[in-house]
Amino acid sequence: MEISSHQSHLLQQLNEQRRQDVFCDCSILVEGKVFKAHRNVLFASSGYFKMLLSQNSKETSQPTTATFQAFSPDTFTVILDFVYSGKLSLTGQNVIEVMSAASFLQMTDVISVCKTFIKSSLDISEKEKDRYFSLSDKDANSNGVERSSFYSGGWQEGSSSPRSHLSPEQGTGIISGKSWNKYNYHPASQKNTQQPLAKHEPRKESIKKTKHLRLSQPSEVTHYKSSKREVRTSDSSSHASQSEEQAQIDAEMDSTPVGYQYGQGSDVTSKSFPDDLPRMRFKCPYCTHVVKRKADLKRHLRCHTGERPYPCQACGKRFSRLDHLSSHFRTIHQACKLICRKCKRHVTDLTGQVVQEGTRRYRLCNECLAEFGIDSLPIDLEAEQHLMSPSDGDKDSRWHLSEDENRSYVEIVEDGSADLVIQQVDDSEEEEEKEIKPNIR
DNA sequence: CTGGGGAAGGGGCCC
DNA sequence: GGGGCCCCTTCCCCA
């Protein structure tokens, strides 16, 4: 006979003991803050502690002290609360650091939940971007409550792949249940996350996209750099079902190396622990890459998640980074290079002109212009700076397409003053765009 | 088939 | 933390 409430009751009791510092035989020092806990609980919940405490098992009579500097006390509070309650309090602000800490502590359940959380976040943000020009603003967070989600169930029976429909962009949500598989799950939205660009990107980008659309497989975990080419040429994963993808994630989690090359600053006072790397704080949970700054990790994660929040308003191509978009726009659509495309000679405004070919622009010297019989296109590049001004605010509104103009995100937009045809292209328009002839005037 | 050039994309790092 | 620049590698197209 099994009493179902026993597990939760036991966990509650342990948590109470921890709070009251009863039978606590382990102290964890995180940036000066001391956390009390039970060795057996830590041993059971963290691969890191399992390794640490197993090495220290013969000295059970003495209390164990571990010191961490790889993450903040707040982050460890979230981790420890999860260990003793099964509830993980994630927010958009702490998810990166919690995932890094969980990666360090080898808590695969927490990592999985963080991944799901991030994916859900990207899913929502991508949806919002797609609707940017066609929908009026909806204050999805009008309640003003701190965006957070509580994931629970990791300790519960029947635990399977952690999945959630909540995201940090959807306001407060509390998930509680017996097991993960009780949560609502929306494969369609997740699929959208995995293919956020399909609608707007030319078809020829599809192969390249697969590199970004798939979450890393085990091979990428250890050989991410070297496997780039293979990944790019493999298109099959983009059609993988959500369950297969989750299986990949799970497989990855299972294959996560034990010897984490991670976050320095971790040091165990009562028991030495291998840690010889230079001081780095943030390790990518998808690969072995380690960065010094959280912002760099956030940027790096986009190459795994496939998030491309910066669309080119001229051609529709999307970029993962604003500087790449800027570079693309300057090169492709603004003809900033003062080099004749034909003869490669340096040209100035006097010795050459800008020629437009579809949404592309380039410069030709006067000689090449005469040779090819193409009249120059009088474009006031200065006047077009407003189309791509780095100082403009929101990354999605930088193009200054005012709502008053009521122009759809995907419709053709003509800027008369600049004589520039701005066109959003999707798959169906790709072939058409290829056939655009040079804009001869 | 091959080499060169352009474009894309990722990392480091400064402001 | 975001923006931006620089450097490098990889990929793709074309002659």
Side-chain angles (χ1 to χ4, degrees):
Chain A
M1 183 175 180
E2 185 180 8
I3 301 175
S4 60
S5 63
H6 174 69
Q7 293 177 9
S8 58
H9 179 71
L10 183 63
L11 202 56
Q12 284 177 358
Q13 285 299 313
L14 287 170
N15 202 17
E16 278 301 309
Q17 291 178 17
R18 172 178 71 105
R19 295 182 188 282
Q20 298 170 11
D21 195 7
V22 177
F23 301 132
C24 289
D25 51 4
C26 184
S27 298
I28 303 101
L29 188 61
V30 182
E31 291 185 356
K33 184 173 181 180
V34 179
F35 294 86
K36 294 285 189 177
H38 303 95
R39 274 192 287 202
N40 52 358
V41 174
L42 296 177
F43 186 97
S45 56
S46 161
Y48 180 95
F49 280 112
K50 181 175 288 186
M51 194 169 7
L52 169 66
L53 295 170
S54 61
Q55 294 177 11
N56 203 24
S57 59
K58 294 179 180 178
E59 307 165 18
T60 52
S61 59
Q62 296 183 356
T64 300
T65 302
T67 303
F68 296 104
Q69 295 176 350
F71 37 78
S72 68
D74 289 343
T75 300
F76 190 69
T77 299
V78 173
I79 296 285
L80 201 57
D81 284 345
F82 168 76
V83 166
Y84 275 90
S85 68
K87 293 179 181 176
L88 189 62
S89 179
L90 289 179
T91 69
Q93 285 72 41
N94 71 9
V95 61
I96 295 293
E97 204 168 347
V98 169
M99 185 161 63
S100 286
S103 176
F104 181 80
L105 296 172
Q106 300 169 38
M107 301 172 69
T108 54
D109 284 348
V110 177
I111 297 172
S112 295
V113 172
C114 289
K115 284 181 176 179
T116 305
F117 187 90
I118 292 172
K119 284 177 65 181
S120 299
S121 169
L122 296 177
D123 180 27
I124 297 304
S125 62
E126 200 60 43
K127 282 181 178 175
E128 287 177 349
K129 290 183 182 88
D130 287 344
R131 292 181 306 187
Y132 179 78
F133 287 97
S134 57
L135 292 181
S136 60
D137 289 339
K138 285 183 178 180
D139 189 1
N141 300 287
S142 57
N143 54 12
V145 182
E146 161 73 2
R147 296 169 177 179
S148 64
S149 298
F150 293 92
Y151 291 81
S152 69
W155 284 93
Q156 311 296 335
E157 57 183 327
S159 172
S160 62
S161 299
R163 289 166 179 176
S164 167
H165 65 287
L166 277 189
S167 87
E169 305 301 323
Q170 284 182 303
T172 299
I174 297 177
I175 303 174
S176 61
K178 194 103 176 167
S179 65
W180 289 115
N181 52 21
K182 279 198 169 186
Y183 302 153
N184 292 329
Y185 181 58
H186 300 266
S189 63
Q190 291 285 7
K191 185 178 179 181
N192 189 27
T193 303
Q194 294 306 299
Q195 298 182 322
L197 316 176
K199 183 178 180 181
H200 299 299
E201 281 215 342
R203 196 173 289 115
K204 64 182 177 182
E205 295 291 329
S206 60
I207 294 178
K208 278 178 124 181
K209 269 189 297 184
T210 60
K211 170 189 171 187
H212 302 282
L213 297 183
R214 57 190 283 189
L215 290 171
S216 61
Q217 289 187 343
S219 61
E220 288 179 79
V221 173
T222 51
H223 305 292
Y224 177 67
K225 274 275 190 183
S226 60
S227 64
K228 270 185 178 178
R229 187 185 295 261
E230 292 176 29
V231 174
R232 287 193 183 202
T233 54
S234 169
D235 196 27
S236 59
S237 64
S238 63
H239 304 298
S241 68
Q242 187 61 40
S243 59
E244 290 169 340
E245 177 192 310
Q246 189 62 41
Q248 289 177 2
I249 297 173
D250 293 341
E252 173 198 336
M253 301 314 302
D254 292 338
S255 67
T256 303
V258 174
Y260 272 76
Q261 299 177 358
Y262 177 72
Q264 259 308 341
S266 151
D267 121 59
V268 180
T269 54
S270 67
K271 188 75 181 180
S272 63
F273 202 71
D275 213 349
D276 301 328
L277 289 181
R279 188 177 186 83
M280 296 285 185
R281 275 192 74 110
F282 301 100
K283 178 192 174 301
C284 174
Y286 296 106
C287 67
T288 57
H289 187 56
V290 179
V291 296
K292 295 176 182 175
R293 302 169 62 227
K294 189 159 71 174
D296 283 340
L297 177 59
K298 188 177 178 181
R299 185 180 73 171
H300 168 79
L301 281 174
R302 289 197 191 126
C303 78
H304 294 297
T305 62
E307 183 194 20
R308 289 165 180 259
Y310 304 103
C312 174
Q313 295 297 299
C315 66
K317 186 171 175 58
R318 302 178 77 104
F319 295 85
S320 60
R321 285 163 48 172
L322 183 59
D323 54 328
H324 286 167
L325 169 61
S326 302
S327 174
H328 159 84
F329 190 82
R330 283 194 299 266
T331 303
I332 303 299
H333 304 301
Q334 281 195 322
C336 284
K337 285 186 177 178
L338 300 176
I339 296 174
C340 174
R341 182 164 176 165
K342 299 293 181 186
C343 63
K344 309 299 179 188
R345 284 187 299 183
H346 179 79
V347 296
T348 65
D349 289 339
L350 295 176
T351 62
Q353 297 289 341
V354 174
V355 173
Q356 177 154 340
E357 182 179 356
T359 59
R360 286 192 169 220
R361 286 178 182 175
Y362 51 85
R363 290 175 188 265
L364 290 177
C365 65
N366 292 332
E367 288 79 4
C368 291
L369 279 170
E371 182 180 349
F372 289 94
I374 301 173
D375 292 335
S376 64
L377 178 67
I379 298 172
D380 185 358
L381 294 177
E382 293 292 326
E384 291 183 1
Q385 290 299 318
H386 73 281
L387 279 170
M388 183 59 200
S389 173
S391 60
D392 288 339
D394 184 88
K395 60 192 175 188
D396 284 327
S397 60
R398 66 177 63 255
W399 301 89
H400 288 241
L401 298 178
S402 67
E403 293 184 9
D404 294 338
E405 294 172 89
N406 197 24
R407 290 166 173 167
S408 166
Y409 183 55
V410 296
E411 74 179 341
I412 296 175
V413 180
E414 282 196 324
D415 186 334
S417 64
D419 200 15
L420 170 65
V421 178
I422 302 174
Q423 184 175 7
Q424 275 290 341
V425 294
D426 59 18
D427 290 347
S428 62
E429 295 171 306
E430 179 223 350
E431 298 299 327
E432 191 177 327
E433 193 198 38
K434 278 185 178 176
E435 297 174 358
I436 295 177
K437 305 297 183 194
N439 192 357
I440 302 174
R441 303 188 183 196

